[in-house]
Amino acid sequence: MNFLMNEDQRAIVDLAAALFVDHCADDQILRFWSGTEPYDRTLWSKLAETGLLGLMLPEEHGGSGLGMIEVIAVLECQGRYLAPAPLWNSQLAAATLARFSSDTAKGRLLQELVSGEKLGTLSLEGLLSSRGLSLHAEKAGGKWSLLGRCPAVPLALESSVALLPAKTADGVRVFVVDLALQGIKKIGGVMTHHEPAADLEFDELSLPAEAVLADDALEWLAPRAAACLGALQLGVAGEALKRAVAYTSERIQFDHPIATFQAISQKAADCLIDVEALRSSLWQLAWRLDAGLESAGAAASVRAWACDTGHRVSHAAQHMHGGMGADTSYPIHRYTLWSRAIEITCGGVSSNLDALGLWLNAAEVEL
């Protein structure tokens, strides 16, 4: 069995890496974090020009019609450079709309999303929250009424459309919300990893019948979101470890590089095992998704590993940097902040191990 990327896949990753190298060097990211821009607009336009915003979109909607393998390879690269662009949120929202929306007017919106002219966003955090979803939807007179709150939706103030899960009488459904509608209360803020977000509050917001996606949209969307977040975390953790190894190999104490000390070398080895475990579970999930296989268990496994690996590796990498790890002008702390943000978005280790346990305990599991 050949696990290597083919020539086309390698070219896509190289293209993405070249953009991130040009726009996301440490000094460029430091300047970006010192500013107030919600995302790197120059990088965003380059991602659009090169077609990287539409990797998973069908070709009839202007995308490349590729699978999750290509998407996670690019996102891992993005995580390594901490590239400030909503690459997975907007693209996955567009791909979900393309597949499940019955709105006949969606074509123009998809073109604007693929071109980068508009942003899409999504938030599935409530599905794994201990408090559960706080967003409800009721159907009356052929329309939907949305009531409740959706916290910390990424780039909600900058996006045109959001995909939000809500409780209905028939279970959880995914709704397409036009964020320009009157009656949506938006409370903006900035996450610790410098990504803007906003709490969205709805007080019986009226939505058309076609605002709800097909029944199986959430089953399709959730594991792909897990794969995207896992890929970002893989890049963040892998790069943090790489930088820790480089730093400890040059830092001299008692006439020896501190990397040769047992306390450092064993910690670094543990981190490598964590990173590779996440990589293995992530690639299995991507393969299952592209093969059309059941993926709920693999998605829960990836989310759990993404939380665990991100937390342990970023903490260890920062610790191995000693005092430099606490210097906010030095890059390594930004990897810690990114890893914590991804961990929160994934829902934490415990909730995902619970989900994995429920999946394993199911009466019939198709492996």
Side-chain angles (χ1 to χ4, degrees):
M1 184 176 291
N2 183 4
F3 289 98
L4 298 177
M5 287 187 170
N6 61 37
E7 188 174 333
D8 291 340
Q9 291 168 332
R10 192 68 252 171
I12 291 170
V13 175
D14 289 345
L15 175 63
L19 288 178
F20 296 141
V21 166
D22 288 344
H23 296 275
C24 305
D26 287 342
D27 57 337
Q28 292 170 305
I29 295 297
L30 179 60
R31 283 198 299 274
F32 176 80
W33 279 47
S34 302
T36 57
E37 285 294 311
Y39 58 96
D40 187 332
R41 298 182 192 276
T42 304
L43 172 62
W44 188 248
S45 66
K46 296 293 183 183
L47 291 169
E49 288 174 11
T50 51
L52 293 175
L53 301 187
L55 288 176
M56 69 171 79
L57 248 72
E59 293 183 30
E60 61 264 32
H61 293 299
S64 303
L66 299 174
M68 288 306 298
I69 295 291
E70 291 80 6
V71 172
I72 67 167
V74 170
L75 291 175
E76 180 188 352
C77 201
Q78 181 186 6
R80 287 189 178 278
Y81 290 91
L82 307 183
L87 185 54
W88 79 271
N89 325 54
S90 194
Q91 182 164 185
L92 187 54
T96 307
L97 285 171
R99 188 179 183 92
F100 294 102
S101 176
S102 60
D103 190 344
T104 54
K106 66 181 179 183
R108 179 177 175 80
L109 174 61
L110 291 175
Q111 289 179 0
E112 292 170 333
L113 293 175
V114 173
S115 68
E117 183 181 345
K118 289 186 176 179
L119 298 184
T121 187
L122 56 89
S123 176
L124 304 182
E125 286 184 49
L127 297 172
L128 296 167
S129 168
S130 59
R131 297 180 178 178
L133 283 173
S134 55
L135 198 59
H136 301 261
E138 295 180 357
K139 193 172 186 180
K143 291 189 174 183
W144 289 94
S145 177
L146 207 55
L147 178 66
R149 183 169 178 267
C150 192
V153 179
L155 288 160
L157 297 183
E158 293 78 15
S159 298
S160 300
V161 63
L163 302 189
L164 305 174
K167 289 181 180 177
T168 74
D170 299 322
V172 177
R173 301 286 295 274
V174 179
F175 286 81
V176 182
V177 179
D178 180 350
L179 294 176
L181 288 175
Q182 297 295 318
I184 304 175
K185 185 177 180 181
K186 305 171 184 174
I187 305 170
V190 180
M191 305 289 282
T192 54
H193 67 313
H194 205 70
E195 182 181 66
D199 291 349
L200 302 180
E201 295 182 358
F202 304 91
D203 185 9
E204 298 184 353
L205 179 72
S206 180
L207 295 176
E210 58 268 23
V212 66
L213 298 182
D215 290 345
D216 51 348
L218 184 59
E219 183 181 356
W220 186 90
L221 172 62
R224 284 165 176 78
C228 293
L229 289 165
L232 281 174
Q233 190 72 293
L234 179 62
V236 171
E239 181 65 19
L241 175 59
K242 179 182 174 183
R243 288 174 180 246
V245 170
Y247 179 82
T248 56
S249 298
E250 296 177 355
R251 180 84 163 87
I252 303 297
Q253 283 288 340
F254 308 111
D255 298 327
H256 296 284
I258 62 173
T260 62
F261 299 164
Q262 194 175 51
I264 296 293
S265 60
Q266 290 185 348
K267 190 179 288 290
D270 288 342
C271 289
L272 181 60
I273 292 171
D274 279 339
V275 169
E276 293 308 313
L278 172 57
R279 187 190 309 280
S280 177
S281 61
L282 173 63
W283 280 87
Q284 186 198 43
L285 172 58
W287 171 75
R288 294 188 71 88
L289 288 171
D290 285 349
L293 299 174
E294 193 278 338
S295 56
S301 177
V302 166
R303 287 194 300 266
W305 272 112
C307 295
D308 226 5
T309 295
H311 197 101
R312 282 201 296 257
V313 173
S314 63
H315 177 268
Q318 192 170 19
H319 195 200
M320 284 188 277
H321 275 77
M324 295 301 290
D327 183 350
T328 56
S329 66
Y330 196 73
I332 196 65
H333 81 286
R334 289 193 284 273
Y335 288 85
T336 303
L337 296 177
W338 261 68
S339 72
R340 295 295 183 274
I342 296 171
E343 180 183 355
I344 292 170
T345 305
C346 283
V349 177
S350 297
S351 63
N352 284 297
L353 290 181
D354 284 347
L356 185 58
L358 291 172
W359 177 80
L360 290 169
N361 196 42
E364 294 182 5
V365 175
E366 182 184 350
L367 295 174

